């Protein structure tokens, strides 16, 4: 019999994945303890508030906290299931850093007991779950751990990657299929029983190493495909073609589905995870490595094109539309739009204004640069050059009549009806053809 106060589930790490996961598990009726190293995060959640922006998350967290199903702490407590959702960054040589995962393992090891299930969700290089298992085995020689004993183990350990899209996290947490990789098949079955409590998508079991690789492959697949689109956009610029028109037409083929070019690839997943594969097999990954280079290189192409346009119109005022790493979110981490805008501001100072409806204030690098943050209406009234860096809906809906006389560099292809003034400009400036 468990005491009334013991949580059923402990979620380690209350960030973009951990907090929504904790809240969704709590909504399913489990008593959840969320663990975080930040006292500020813990206090915010215990007030029923949130420290990140995600669609519908505020209401959900408020509801489960006030019903006593979710609480947060900096101190671990015994539970039946432990879900680890901590960051796995890379260092300057693109080597994965799993120290937060191992630290989480060290935190929970002392409270593990017979029957517990430990699940790693953080994006991780292949073999991380087994490394965490080895560390737990070392710290708890009294426990029989899976894969290291011929007897029935005391605990189960599995890897189950999150694969939710920022902006749709709550919906995708419930409805996406899950790959559940056990250190042993028995571990996979135990983890499966847990996910069935709150996931409506199909839950497919496999081994831990395959599940780890699956996650990396999903994001590398997308990176490679975006790189193809970005390369096409650079080729089209060179040939004086409209890449959007070319892609639209090619995608009418029943087996072609080219993604969208943009100013580069941002966020903390797609621009990072492919490196975990490259690091694990450096000689076997020329394609994945090249795709990373193409996507990072696209930012510099955009900067060069924007600079040429701005320099050719010394009296024009310029608005950069968007700083977020993708549409309709307030997340600026690893954002190519932010990088491009900051480079333009550094070069052209107060000639540049920024429109970012998802930010109350501009990021730190814009301080004391003379740049002003304006709204889209001001931009349309006062600026002659518009550089579209993010496809926020609020930009997409601007009618042609309000922008027909502008010089537009649309890196996201949101305004297909825009007269091709820029293209003529480019030809004049010898940027294309
Ligand atoms: N992008 C393009 N062109 C496109 C699609 C995206 O330039 O056609 C850019 C976006 O603007 C953004 C970047 O790529 O800068 C990444 O955006 P995204 O929407 O493709 O992906 P993320 O980073 O928000 O989320 C990804 C998702 N992975 C896949 O779609 C394979 C998500 O399902 C993962 O859970 C998430 O990474 C993660 O946490 O790993």
């Amino acid at each position: 019999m468990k005491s009334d106060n013991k949580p059923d589930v402990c979620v380690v790490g209350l960030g973009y994945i951990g907090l929504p996961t904790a809240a969704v598990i709590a909504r399913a009726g489990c008593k959840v303890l969320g663990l975080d190293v930040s006292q500020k995060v813990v206090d915010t959640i215990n007030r029923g508030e949130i420290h990140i922006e995600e669609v519908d998350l505020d209401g959900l967290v408020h509801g489960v906290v006030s019903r006593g199903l979710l609480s947060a702490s900096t101190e671990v407590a015994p539970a039946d299931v432990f879900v680890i959702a901590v960051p796995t960054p890379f260092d300057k040589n693109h080597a994965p850093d799993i120290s937060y995962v191992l630290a989480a393992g060290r935190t929970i090891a002392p409270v593990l007991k017979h029957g517990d299930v430990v699940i790693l969700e953080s994006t991780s290089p292949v073999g991380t779950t087994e490394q965490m298992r080895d560390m737990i085995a070392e710290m708890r020689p009294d426990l029989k751990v899976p894969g290291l004993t011929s007897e029935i183990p005391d605990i189960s350990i599995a890897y189950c990657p999150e694969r939710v899209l920022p902006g749709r996290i709550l919906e995708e947490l419930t409805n996406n299929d899950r790959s559940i990789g056990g250190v042993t098949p028995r571990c996979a079955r135990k983890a499966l029983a847990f996910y069935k409590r709150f996931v409506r998508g199909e839950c497919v079991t496999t081994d831990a190493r395959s599940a780890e690789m699956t996650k990396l492959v999903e994001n590398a697949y997308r990176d490679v495909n975006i790189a193809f689109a970005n390369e096409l956009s650079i080729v089209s610029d060179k040939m004086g073609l409209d890449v959007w028109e070319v892609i639209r037409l090619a995608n009418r083929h029943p087996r072609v589905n080219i993604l969208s070019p943009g100013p580069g690839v941002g966020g903390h997943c797609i621009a990072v995870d492919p490196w975990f594969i490259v690091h694990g097999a450096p000689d076997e990954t020329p394609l994945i490595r090249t795709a990373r280079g193409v996507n990072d290189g696209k930012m510099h192409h955009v900067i060069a094109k924007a600079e040429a346009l701005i320099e050719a119109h010394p009296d024009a005022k310029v608005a950069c539309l968007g700083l977020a790493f993708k549409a309709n979110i307030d997340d600026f981490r690893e954002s190519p739009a932010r990088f491009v805008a900051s480079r333009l501001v550094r070069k052209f100072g107060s000639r540049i204004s920024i429109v970012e409806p998802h930010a109350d204030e501009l990021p730190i690098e814009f301080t004391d640069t003379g740049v002003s943050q304006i709204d889209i209406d001001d931009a349309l009234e006062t600026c002659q050059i518009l550089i579209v860096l993010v496809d926020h809906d609020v930009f997409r809906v601007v009618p042609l009549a309000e922008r027909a006389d502008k010089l537009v560099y649309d890196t996201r292809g949101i305004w297909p009806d825009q007269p091709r003034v820029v293209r003529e400009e480019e030809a004049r400036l010898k940027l294309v053809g």
Side-chain angles (χ1 to χ4, degrees):
M1 279 295 269
K2 63 185 176 118
S3 83
D4 273 347
N5 286 328
K6 186 175 75 59
D8 303 319
V9 181
C10 175
V11 176
V12 186
L14 294 172
Y16 276 87
I17 300 301
L19 179 57
T21 303
V24 165
I25 299 169
R27 183 175 59 190
C30 300
K31 193 153 183 226
V32 180
L33 174 73
L35 208 61
D36 203 280
V37 289
S38 159
Q39 187 65 50
K40 201 170 156 208
V41 167
V42 164
D43 293 342
T44 305
I45 293 165
N46 284 335
R47 285 196 306 271
E49 294 165 14
I50 58 176
H51 61 293
I52 52 176
E53 200 179 282
E54 177 59 35
V55 177
D56 296 337
L57 185 62
D58 48 354
L60 176 61
V61 167
H62 183 76
V64 288
V65 169
S66 50
R67 281 157 59 209
L69 287 167
L70 173 64
S71 62
S73 174
T74 55
E75 299 291 327
V76 72
D80 302 326
V81 178
F82 293 83
V83 177
I84 298 173
V86 293
T88 43
F90 59 21
D91 67 16
K92 59 180 184 331
N93 300 317
H94 301 124
D97 170 5
I98 61 163
S99 58
Y100 296 105
V101 172
L102 297 179
R106 262 193 300 279
T107 302
I108 64 171
V111 299
L112 291 177
K113 58 182 179 352
H114 178 84
D116 285 357
V117 181
V118 178
I119 300 163
L120 177 60
E121 287 208 359
S122 310
T123 302
S124 300
V126 173
T128 304
T129 310
E130 288 169 355
Q131 275 192 54
M132 187 182 73
R133 182 266 322 264
D134 293 348
M135 201 196 65
I136 291 172
E138 226 171 84
M139 287 182 70
R140 292 291 306 272
D142 56 312
L143 285 179
K144 291 193 275 295
V145 299
L148 299 180
T149 175
S150 52
E151 298 170 59
I152 294 179
D154 286 314
I155 58 172
S156 301
I157 302 180
Y159 180 76
C160 177
E162 58 76 21
R163 39 163 64 140
V164 292
L165 200 69
R168 293 169 46 85
I169 291 183
L170 292 182
E171 207 236 293
E172 293 205 358
L173 258 177
T174 318
N175 293 321
N176 285 3
D177 293 352
R178 304 293 296 243
S179 310
I180 301 172
V183 164
T184 64
R186 183 176 182 276
C187 293
R189 290 194 299 276
K190 295 284 179 196
L192 173 70
F194 168 64
Y195 281 101
K196 289 246 169 180
R197 284 150 79 169
F198 62 95
V199 171
R200 271 203 295 266
E202 205 177 320
C203 296
V204 183
T205 55
T206 180
D207 62 279
R209 292 170 69 88
S210 297
E212 287 164 342
M213 186 60 169
T214 304
K215 168 70 191 189
L216 304 180
V217 163
E218 288 165 5
N219 280 350
Y221 169 85
R222 195 148 167 89
D223 197 44
V224 168
N225 281 280
I226 297 170
F228 181 70
N230 278 332
E231 186 161 297
L232 284 185
S233 75
I234 295 171
V235 171
S236 299
D237 281 350
K238 173 122 182 126
M239 295 182 172
L241 295 165
D242 178 351
V243 69
W244 307 101
E245 176 74 355
V246 171
I247 291 176
R248 238 186 329 272
L249 292 170
N251 281 350
R252 296 182 84 94
H253 184 291
R255 285 174 297 283
V256 173
N257 186 14
I258 302 169
L259 295 180
S260 304
V265 167
H268 28 282
C269 306
I270 294 191
V272 175
D273 302 354
W275 287 116
F276 290 14
I277 306 181
V278 173
H279 190 258
D283 295 334
E284 290 76 18
T285 44
L287 177 66
I288 298 173
R289 188 197 296 267
T290 301
R292 278 283 68 246
V294 169
N295 285 334
D296 283 346
K298 183 66 194 290
M299 285 188 276
H300 299 284
H301 176 83
V302 168
I303 291 167
K305 243 180 108 165
E307 283 180 352
L309 185 64
I310 297 167
E311 272 162 3
H313 297 272
D315 299 327
K317 292 193 75 93
V318 183
C320 287
L321 305 191
L323 290 182
F325 88 81
K326 65 176 191 175
N328 305 325
I329 61 170
D330 71 336
D331 192 337
F332 305 123
R333 290 176 295 175
E334 317 298 329
S335 169
R338 175 176 171 178
F339 181 74
V340 170
S342 70
R343 290 288 290 269
L344 296 179
V345 165
R346 213 185 301 159
K347 183 151 188 172
F348 298 105
S350 59
R351 278 185 68 197
I352 311 279
S353 298
I354 308 278
V355 185
E356 180 41 88
H358 295 272
D360 293 334
E361 53 189 51
L362 295 176
I364 182 93
E365 66 271 27
F366 295 96
T367 314
D368 298 330
T369 55
V371 72
S372 44
Q373 188 180 7
I374 58 177
D375 66 19
I376 183 67
D377 292 326
D378 287 341
L380 291 166
E381 257 168 54
T382 59
C383 297
Q384 295 75 45
I385 296 180
L386 305 178
I387 301 185
V388 180
L389 296 172
V390 186
D391 42 344
H392 289 319
D393 287 346
V394 67
F395 305 149
R396 208 179 266 284
V397 297
V398 173
L400 176 61
E402 292 184 45
R403 54 183 159 79
D405 62 339
K406 306 288 180 195
L407 278 170
V408 173
Y409 177 22
D410 179 1
T411 71
R412 295 279 186 176
I414 62 170
W415 293 331
D417 55 358
Q418 186 72 26
R420 299 181 62 180
V421 187
V422 170
R423 201 149 301 290
E424 282 151 30
E425 277 291 313
E426 284 164 7
R428 197 170 66 75
L429 297 169
K430 299 266 183 295
L431 282 175
V432 299

